[in-house]
Amino acid sequence: MPTENLKIVAEAGHELTGSLEMPTGLVRGAALFAHCFTCTKQSKAAVSVARALAAEGIATLRFDFTGLGGSEGDFGRAGFAVDVSDLVAAAEHLLERFSHPILLVGHSLGGAAVLAAAREIGLERVAAIATIGAPSDVPHVLHNIDGDIEAIRTNGEGAVKIGGREFCLGRDFIEKVENIDLLKEVESLRKPLLFLHSPTDAIVGIEHAGALFQSAKHPKSFVSLEGADHLLLKEEDAEFAARVIAGWAHRYLPLRDDWPMPEVGIVARTGHGKFGTEVHTGSHQFVADEPKSYGGDDTGPTPYDLLNASLGTCTAMTMKMYADRKGWPLEGVSVHVTHERKHEEVCDHVEAMVEGKQMQSLNRAISMRGDALDDTQRAKLMEIADKCPVHRTLEGVLHVHTQET
């Protein structure tokens, strides 16, 4: 996916680093991802979810909270309230650029943060909210801190370890973590909510998901991440969560009104990758691209793949239609089409070339399934393959007329 690196100015004036994952095609909406406690925007969950959403046409911003990753500021004196203000600043950046209500997604404490930040962002500007392994009470994170919390309250600051990493926490951090009633916030949201949680989560127990779900009002959904650990360290767990969120988000980030849906033909419109191009028919849309070896993002078939596909699909459809009409026992057709650019180098009829034109060919290999088909039926179906409409168009007299509109 095309990735834009950007800077966001936090409420306190320092810079937050972010990575915006853009669809290779057109944008149907935008999402903001909040990473887990002491993680960064490079966590497996952050990257997997952001890229899965981008593949669905949802531009997704993942960023580092204050004092983490590449962001400026002092993590040890920030606390939960600062995380919320960071989210508001990042959301403002997205809303200014994309103008439509956005999807909020948060992992672990980042999940609690998006739930708490939604009201400050503006509920009318939030399309929906999804969380992964989120705690139902924010002070729960203090249990995962290896250090003397009471000494920090007394002395004002102290050294601790979180996830094996050393930090210096201040009294403000502790107090800002404690002063939030998350369940009350969730109860008042009344926005579409999706809670994903592992029943074997050893850091934030499944009871937290139950409490959040019970407090939330409909529409709300719960998905069990069976077998996953809290950080989604297994690639398949992170990708599963990403696919679920991306599929769920479709309902709340509908197609934009300005997308081209032509009554006839297709419309191809450039997207955000080097070659990524959105293709629209009257009722469908998909992305065409080039492979990474050609500098593309490999997020869709190439133009020549589509040319081969037009011949292959039309051939299969025509053969099946003919067999159905005749009542013949054709069980299925497989058509393999390849494109050859310099056909004159391997063929023996170069005299047929038009001067100044390169001779190319489409090579088609057809396999029919159906043991009850006799030889006569098979021969006739091969003859019918050459009469499919796309075949006739490609071998007929074809003009391409171009005009600027």
Side-chain angles (χ1 to χ4, degrees):
M1 298 295 167
T3 304
E4 297 180 15
N5 296 317
L6 43 83
K7 301 288 186 181
I8 301 163
V9 179
E11 183 182 28
H14 56 265
E15 288 188 337
L16 308 174
T17 61
S19 296
L20 181 63
E21 301 289 348
M22 294 295 294
T24 48
L26 304 185
V27 175
R28 64 178 293 143
L32 178 60
F33 186 94
H35 62 69
C36 56
F37 189 42
T38 73
C39 295
T40 71
K41 67 179 184 297
Q42 297 303 117
S43 72
K44 190 177 295 292
V47 174
S48 293
V49 172
R51 291 180 176 171
L53 289 171
E56 297 293 327
I58 303 170
T60 304
L61 172 61
R62 49 190 172 90
F63 73 101
D64 293 325
F65 282 116
T66 292
L68 293 171
S71 290
E72 298 174 344
D74 185 353
F75 168 79
R77 298 188 180 280
F80 188 74
V82 176
D83 288 350
V84 171
S85 67
D86 288 350
L87 274 165
V88 174
E92 290 294 341
H93 179 93
L94 276 183
L95 287 160
E96 181 178 345
R97 177 163 176 177
F98 297 105
S99 72
H100 293 275
I102 62 175
L103 170 69
L104 301 180
V105 184
H107 181 201
S108 189
L109 188 63
V114 297
L115 292 169
R119 190 171 300 282
E120 291 192 38
I121 293 169
L123 293 181
E124 74 284 355
R125 302 196 297 170
V126 174
I129 306 169
T131 68
I132 306 169
S136 58
D137 65 304
V138 177
H140 176 81
V141 303
L142 298 179
H143 301 311
N144 299 315
I145 295 176
D146 182 9
D148 193 336
I149 301 299
E150 292 306 316
I152 295 174
R153 295 184 201 275
T154 302
N155 301 326
E157 65 178 22
V160 300
K161 284 187 177 181
I162 307 173
R165 298 166 58 194
E166 293 188 354
F167 294 92
C168 180
L169 295 189
R171 183 189 296 116
D172 284 351
F173 183 100
I174 306 300
E175 293 176 350
K176 289 173 181 177
V177 164
E178 292 177 324
N179 295 328
I180 179 71
D181 186 346
L182 190 60
L183 293 180
K184 185 177 179 180
E185 286 288 332
V186 171
E187 184 178 5
S188 64
L189 288 178
R190 298 183 183 275
K191 302 297 294 186
L193 293 167
L194 171 64
F195 304 103
L196 298 96
H197 212 110
S198 170
T200 54
D201 191 326
I203 296 177
V204 179
I206 189 66
E207 67 274 8
H208 288 270
L212 289 170
F213 189 83
Q214 288 298 320
S215 295
K217 304 300 181 183
H218 285 291
K220 58 181 178 180
S221 304
F222 173 78
V223 173
S224 176
L225 301 177
E226 183 180 3
D229 65 288
H230 181 69
L231 294 178
L232 300 186
L233 293 177
K234 293 181 181 178
E235 193 74 33
E236 59 266 30
D237 292 333
E239 290 182 354
F240 173 74
R243 289 194 301 270
V244 168
I245 294 171
W248 172 81
H250 265 273
R251 177 179 291 272
Y252 305 108
L253 294 172
L255 288 175
R256 288 172 44 160
D257 293 337
D258 61 347
W259 275 26
M261 304 297 279
E263 292 184 5
V264 294
I266 66 99
V267 172
R269 183 176 288 182
T270 53
H272 299 276
K274 183 175 181 180
F275 296 112
T277 302
E278 192 94 16
V279 180
H280 294 259
T281 71
S283 55
H284 300 281
Q285 69 278 335
F286 59 90
V287 172
D289 203 349
E290 290 287 356
K292 292 182 179 180
S293 58
Y294 279 75
D297 293 290
D298 198 24
T299 56
T302 71
Y304 275 104
D305 287 338
L306 297 176
L307 175 63
N308 293 346
S310 67
L311 177 60
T313 54
C314 187
T315 299
M317 291 176 186
T318 301
M319 293 174 69
K320 184 178 184 302
M321 181 179 66
Y322 187 87
D324 288 347
R325 185 185 304 155
K326 291 290 188 179
W328 291 352
L330 176 66
E331 296 175 3
V333 178
S334 177
V335 184
H336 181 200
V337 182
T338 57
H339 173 242
E340 187 176 32
R341 292 180 182 274
K342 297 182 178 181
H343 186 56
E344 71 275 8
E345 295 180 358
V346 297
C347 76
D348 57 2
H349 48 275
V350 177
E351 67 278 0
M353 293 178 59
V354 177
E355 186 176 354
K357 298 287 186 179
Q358 184 184 55
M359 178 174 286
Q360 303 185 49
S361 71
L362 293 177
N363 304 312
R364 181 173 52 187
I366 300 173
S367 174
M368 288 176 274
R369 298 189 304 278
D371 293 340
L373 284 171
D374 61 36
D375 291 342
T376 301
Q377 291 169 333
R378 287 178 175 274
K380 183 61 178 180
L381 287 171
M382 289 297 290
E383 180 184 330
I384 292 299
D386 284 338
K387 297 180 179 179
C388 87
V390 169
H391 185 139
R392 288 181 170 180
T393 297
L394 293 172
E395 287 199 331
V397 178
L398 178 64
H399 291 184
V400 178
H401 300 280
T402 305
Q403 64 182 13
E404 182 178 2
T405 59

